[in-house]
Amino acid sequence: MGMTFSGIILNSLSLVVEWMPTRGRTVAGVLLGFSFTLGQLILAGVAYLVRPWRWLQFAVSVPFLIFSLYSWWLPESSRWLLLHGQSQRAVQNLRKVAAMNGRKAEGERLTQEVVSSYIQSEFTSVRTSTSVLDLFRTPAIRKVTCCLMVVWFSNSMAYYGLAMDLQKFGLSVYLVQVLFGVIDIPAMLVATTTMIYVGRRATVASFLILAGLMVIANMFVPEGMQTLRTAQAALGKGCLASSFICVYLFTGELYPTEIRQMGMGFVSVNARLGGLAAPLVTAVGEFSAILPPVAFGATSILAGLTVCFLAETRNTPLVETIEVMERRAKGLSRKDAEGRSEDISLQQLGASPLLETI
């Protein structure tokens, strides 16, 4: 389940990022986050009603059989299809999008010849094959990958470290689960607002640092003040959950389409390593009670500081190729970096038929 769940998350977010126009990416990405929260709240109720673990596992697994049926009708990303030479399928998908958006006439004008000409003029630098080494081969991509490795590992370790230790607060595990889910709602509302009006980098960094401070501050709250301890832990977990969702969106916007899926998959592996490290760090608490909160809090703060080295992506079109991203990072002139060859963004093509379809 863990293996398949990671694939579901990464593919879902990639489709959202690559299909949504620039102005809608933030809201669409955060809606996925609210879906996580809703699932957590439902899980608490189902687990309360279905106590035998085998039946609980069955109850939470069966819906995936239903979801798998309609997932076959989800349209493949036209960006990905264009980059992999499948222009005919890309045209078909774009025409469907045009019809859904009330622009069927414009979609009919979008022919395979138009798309083929566009590919020849804009996608000449795309590699015929990619590998994990492409995530470290060039300076700009290497910087993004290294920073995101730290961020994903630290965020995941701190998040699961808090989520797995629910029973220490002395309340019902079901009640705490609901509380930890409900606190995500206002946290993600704040995250949505700040991502739209302030930016991704400041939002992610602030939430990670605030979460780390909350975890460390909980060390100094007396054991008898369980309400305050639970509230601080819930707030810290809410910040970590919101930063997690923001990082998913931020990562998708940082990587070019050429290697977006590979990049998100690679840094997601580091999140899984962080999840593996969380119970080991928690186990160290048997020898020293202060080590787990210090470790979780410090790694969260470290991740927040690392985010500051990444570029801001608010209101910027997606980058399609590694070459374009490297040129942007080298600080070429605005006309060159944001003109004809910058983003190859389907919603930034002036009067072309590609723009008119979406």
Side-chain angles (χ1 to χ4, degrees), residues 73 217 258 271:
W73 280 269
E258 187 177 355

Side-chain angles (χ1 to χ4, degrees), residues 77-113:
S77 166
S78 286
R79 295 175 183 271
W80 185 89
L81 292 172
L82 290 174
L83 284 170
H84 290 79
Q86 301 183 45
S87 57
Q88 184 175 0
R89 287 185 60 194
V91 171
Q92 293 174 352
N93 287 347
L94 287 169
R95 284 177 175 173
K96 291 180 181 179
V97 172
M100 292 175 64
N101 290 337
R103 299 184 178 183
K104 185 175 181 180
E106 290 87 343
E108 294 299 326
R109 291 167 50 195
L110 184 61
T111 64
Q112 191 167 348
E113 289 73 20

Side-chain angles (χ1 to χ4, degrees), residues 6-323:
S6 297
I8 292 171
I9 295 174
L10 294 176
N11 282 284
S12 299
L13 187 66
S14 292
L15 282 174
V16 168
V17 168
E18 294 182 9
W19 269 118
M20 290 297 296
T22 302
R23 64 182 180 275
R25 286 203 306 262
T26 302
V27 175
V30 173
L31 283 176
L32 289 181
F34 279 108
S35 299
F36 280 100
T37 300
L38 178 61
Q40 183 173 346
L41 295 175
I42 293 176
L43 173 62
V46 174
Y48 182 79
L49 296 174
V50 184
R51 298 302 177 93
W53 70 266
R54 289 183 177 86
W55 285 107
L56 175 61
Q57 191 79 0
F58 178 79
V60 299
S61 301
V62 166
F64 283 94
L65 297 176
I66 302 173
F67 303 153
S68 67
L69 296 178
Y70 79 74
S71 65
W72 292 101
W73 280 269
L74 293 174
E76 181 59 84
S77 166
S78 286
R79 295 175 183 271
W80 185 89
L81 292 172
L82 290 174
L83 284 170
H84 290 79
Q86 301 183 45
S87 57
Q88 184 175 0
R89 287 185 60 194
V91 171
Q92 293 174 352
N93 287 347
L94 287 169
R95 284 177 175 173
K96 291 180 181 179
V97 172
M100 292 175 64
N101 290 337
R103 299 184 178 183
K104 185 175 181 180
E106 290 87 343
E108 294 299 326
R109 291 167 50 195
L110 184 61
T111 64
Q112 191 167 348
E113 289 73 20
V114 172
V115 175
S116 298
S117 175
Y118 169 69
I119 293 174
Q120 292 175 4
S121 63
E122 302 289 1
F123 287 69
T124 55
S125 64
V126 176
R127 293 174 177 266
T128 56
S129 62
T130 56
S131 69
V132 176
L133 294 178
D134 289 327
L135 300 177
F136 300 92
R137 201 184 306 274
T138 54
I141 299 294
R142 182 166 57 247
K143 177 183 176 182
V144 168
T145 301
C146 291
C147 289
L148 288 176
M149 287 172 64
V150 175
V151 172
W152 280 68
F153 176 87
S154 303
N155 199 336
S156 179
M157 189 179 81
Y159 177 86
Y160 288 110
L162 280 179
M164 289 187 304
D165 205 15
L166 300 180
Q167 298 184 20
K168 75 175 185 180
F169 298 106
L171 301 175
S172 167
V173 66
Y174 306 102
L175 177 60
V176 175
Q177 180 77 12
V178 171
L179 176 63
F180 273 31
V182 170
I183 196 64
D184 290 355
I185 298 176
M188 281 191 285
L189 288 174
V190 173
T192 305
T193 304
T194 55
M195 278 199 296
I196 293 174
Y197 295 104
V198 179
R200 278 78 159 123
R201 183 171 57 188
T203 299
V204 176
S206 299
F207 271 101
L208 285 170
I209 293 174
L210 179 59
L213 293 176
M214 286 292 171
V215 173
I216 293 176
N218 229 4
M219 296 168 45
F220 303 100
V221 179
E223 292 287 343
M225 302 178 65
Q226 285 297 330
T227 302
L228 179 58
R229 288 172 59 84
T230 304
Q232 284 189 339
L235 181 58
K237 188 266 181 184
C239 291
L240 288 170
S242 299
S243 65
F244 227 144
I245 297 303
C246 297
V247 165
Y248 268 106
L249 179 62
F250 197 19
T251 301
E253 293 177 336
L254 284 169
Y255 279 116
T257 303
E258 187 177 355
I259 56 172
R260 178 171 296 117
Q261 193 73 5
M262 183 185 301
M264 293 187 66
F266 181 79
V267 296
S268 177
V269 170
N270 291 273
R272 308 287 79 79
L273 294 176
L276 287 171
L280 300 179
V281 174
T282 302
V284 176
E286 297 180 3
F287 306 97
S288 176
I290 67 171
L291 286 181
V294 168
F296 295 139
T299 55
S300 182
I301 294 173
L302 173 63
L305 296 176
T306 304
V307 171
C308 298
F309 294 95
L310 297 170
E312 179 57 62
T313 59
R314 182 174 70 97
N315 295 332
T316 59
L318 296 178
V319 177
E320 306 291 357
T321 64
I322 296 174
E323 180 183 354

Side-chain angles (χ1 to χ4, degrees), residues 308-351:
C308 298
F309 294 95
L310 297 170
E312 179 57 62
T313 59
R314 182 174 70 97
N315 295 332
T316 59
L318 296 178
V319 177
E320 306 291 357
T321 64
I322 296 174
E323 180 183 354
V324 170
M325 183 168 177
E326 292 299 326
R327 287 209 307 270
R328 174 190 285 183
K330 291 178 181 177
L332 297 183
S333 66
R334 184 177 182 84
K335 180 179 180 181
D336 185 30
E338 297 183 358
R340 170 183 171 276
S341 59
E342 179 199 12
D343 298 298
I344 319 172
S345 173
L346 297 185
Q347 66 266 29
Q348 296 290 328
L349 293 177

